[in-house]
């Protein structure tokens, strides 16, 4: 298949693009500037960078020609609802033009659930509309009503590799700076997933997209540590031996506030329908290895190599 990946130069986007390419697909990676280092790096993974700004559909509309599937991995913070609604509209318009039913793999996340009070959540758990990012569940419903061929992926908290937008990357950076802070409820627990295990789920979905049309999958491993214990293992791996300061979730911004509760999920459906099983058991199994990967990805480390 030919697949257009939106958000291909991002943290998850590059790993997903590379995995799809290794699986034998022709992968186009949307990038604002194809001459930028992040876009050029896609070529190393045998992904073709194509120029376009997601906020301006006229700059990427033509890339839908000949495309069989679209993987959406970008959260446009400037207009998170309108941007995704425009994507749905563009896919519908392209379908009307050429009759091609492109399969959209739409990415949200487990923090969209918000505070549910449930010990374990799955694909059928209704989200709390008061969640700061609960609008993503509303977008899932709009997509389902649109008639577009689609699959929804709700990843757990990602880790591994460069960790550029991972909570673990933020923890490493704060530890190196000597000022690690934990935001919110110290007892909360989160489900996690290694970014390469997540990429494997996208490959499995696009192996036979018709079989999972209209389905939603939660993708996460089974670790059940508190977020604070996970952060402790991260900051120790980064060499910080002091205390971790505590602050309110509000002090950490919208994403910290959105995640200030237990977010434990089961991926039993993905195991059953996709045959997906995480190969990485837990972040805390190898925090030093994950720290080294993050450190090597930092600009100063790359410049000195």
């Amino acid at each position: 298949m030919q697949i257009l990946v939106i958000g291909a130069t991002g943290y998850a986007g590059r790993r997903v693009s590379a995995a799809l390419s290794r699986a034998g697909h022709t992968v186009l990676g949307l990038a604002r500037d194809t001459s930028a280092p992040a876009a050029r790096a896609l070529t190393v993974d045998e992904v073709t960078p194509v120029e376009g700004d997601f906020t301006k559909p006229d700059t990427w509309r033509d890339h839908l020609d000949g495309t069989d599937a679209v993987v959406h991995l970008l959260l446009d913070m400037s207009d998170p609802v309108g941007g995704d609604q425009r994507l749905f509209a563009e896919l519908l318009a392209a379908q009307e033009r050429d009759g091609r039913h492109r399969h959209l793999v739409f990415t949200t996340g487990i923090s969209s659930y918000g505070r549910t009070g449930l010990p374990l959540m799955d694909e059928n758990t209704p989200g709390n509309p008061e969640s700061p990012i609960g609008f993503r569940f509303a977008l899932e419903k709009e997509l389902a009503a649109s008639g577009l061929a689609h699959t929804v992926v709700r990843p757990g908290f990602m880790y591994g590799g460069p960790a550029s937008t991972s909570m673990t990357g933020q923890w490493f950076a704060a530890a190196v700076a000597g000022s690690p802070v934990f935001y919110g409820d110290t007892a909360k627990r989160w489900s996690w997933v290694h970014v390469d295990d997540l990429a494997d789920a996208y490959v499995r979905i696009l192996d036979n997209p018709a079989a999972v049309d209209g389905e939603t999958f939660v993708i996460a491993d089974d670790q059940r540590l508190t977020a604070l214990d996970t952060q402790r293992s991260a900051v120790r791996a980064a060499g910080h031996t002091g205390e971790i300061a505590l602050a309110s979730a509000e002090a950490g911004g919208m994403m910290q506030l959105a995640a200030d509760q237990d977010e434990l999920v089961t991926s039993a459906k993905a195991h059953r329908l996709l045959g997906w099983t995480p190969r990485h058991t837990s972040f805390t199994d190898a925090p030093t290895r994950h720290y080294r990967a993050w450190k090597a990805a930092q600009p100063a480390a790359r410049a000195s190599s």
Side-chain angles (χ1 to χ4, degrees):
M1 283 196 298
Q2 180 164 297
I3 302 168
L4 174 66
V5 178
I6 297 170
T9 59
Y11 173 38
R14 180 170 179 188
R15 305 297 266 237
V16 170
S17 298
L20 291 169
S21 178
R22 288 195 301 270
H25 298 291
T26 298
V27 183
L28 310 179
L30 190 67
R32 288 182 178 175
D33 179 1
T34 54
S35 67
R40 294 201 307 270
L42 294 173
T43 307
V44 177
D45 298 321
E46 301 182 7
V47 173
T48 302
V50 293
E51 198 147 313
D53 182 343
F54 179 67
T55 66
K56 301 173 182 177
D58 58 306
T59 66
W60 52 264
R61 186 177 295 128
D62 290 347
H63 300 317
L64 295 175
D65 294 343
T67 292
D68 303 292
V70 175
V71 175
H72 184 41
L73 287 151
L74 177 68
L75 177 59
D76 175 16
M77 294 302 292
S78 67
D79 187 9
V81 175
D84 287 353
Q85 289 173 333
R86 285 189 291 274
L87 171 62
F88 303 161
E90 288 293 333
L91 290 172
L92 286 169
Q95 184 173 302
E96 290 178 7
R97 284 196 305 271
D98 59 18
R100 184 187 289 267
H101 291 262
R102 297 162 183 82
H103 193 97
L104 173 62
V105 186
F106 184 65
T107 311
T108 57
I110 65 170
S111 289
S112 302
Y113 285 107
R115 197 177 299 276
T116 67
L118 298 175
L120 198 64
M121 301 180 291
D122 63 14
E123 291 81 0
N124 296 317
T125 303
N128 183 338
E130 295 183 3
S131 166
I133 54 174
F135 61 82
R136 304 190 85 179
F137 269 24
L139 285 165
E140 287 184 15
K141 291 178 181 177
E142 288 187 35
L143 176 57
S146 72
L148 289 168
H150 72 281
T151 304
V152 173
V153 177
R154 296 175 188 161
F157 286 71
M158 287 181 278
Y159 71 94
S164 52
T165 56
S166 168
M167 199 73 77
T168 61
Q170 296 176 34
W171 291 340
F172 290 145
V176 169
S179 55
V181 179
F182 183 84
Y183 295 98
D185 183 359
T186 58
K188 65 190 174 192
R189 296 181 294 164
W190 297 333
S191 288
W192 295 80
V193 63
H194 191 284
V195 66
D196 289 337
D197 287 329
L198 176 63
D200 179 55
Y202 287 84
V203 171
R204 291 172 182 271
I205 287 167
L206 289 169
D207 276 346
N208 187 7
V212 290
D213 185 13
E215 299 287 356
T216 297
F217 293 101
V218 170
I219 304 295
D221 61 32
D222 295 324
Q223 67 175 298
R224 297 288 184 257
L225 293 174
T226 67
L228 181 55
D229 283 340
T230 306
Q231 183 175 1
R232 284 196 183 102
S233 70
V235 302
R236 297 294 180 261
H240 181 80
T241 58
E243 295 298 316
I244 298 173
L246 303 180
S248 68
E250 289 82 359
M254 185 184 79
M255 298 308 290
Q256 291 285 355
L257 188 60
D260 192 33
Q261 63 268 321
D262 281 351
E263 293 184 11
L264 296 180
V265 295
T266 172
S267 294
K269 181 178 177 181
H271 301 330
R272 185 176 71 254
L273 295 188
L274 298 177
W276 178 83
T277 301
R279 290 186 171 91
H280 301 79
T281 306
S282 169
F283 170 83
T284 56
D285 281 356
T288 301
R289 183 175 69 203
H290 300 313
Y291 168 68
R292 287 198 300 263
W294 169 83
K295 185 178 180 180
Q298 301 312 296
R302 292 197 300 268
S304 62
S305 62

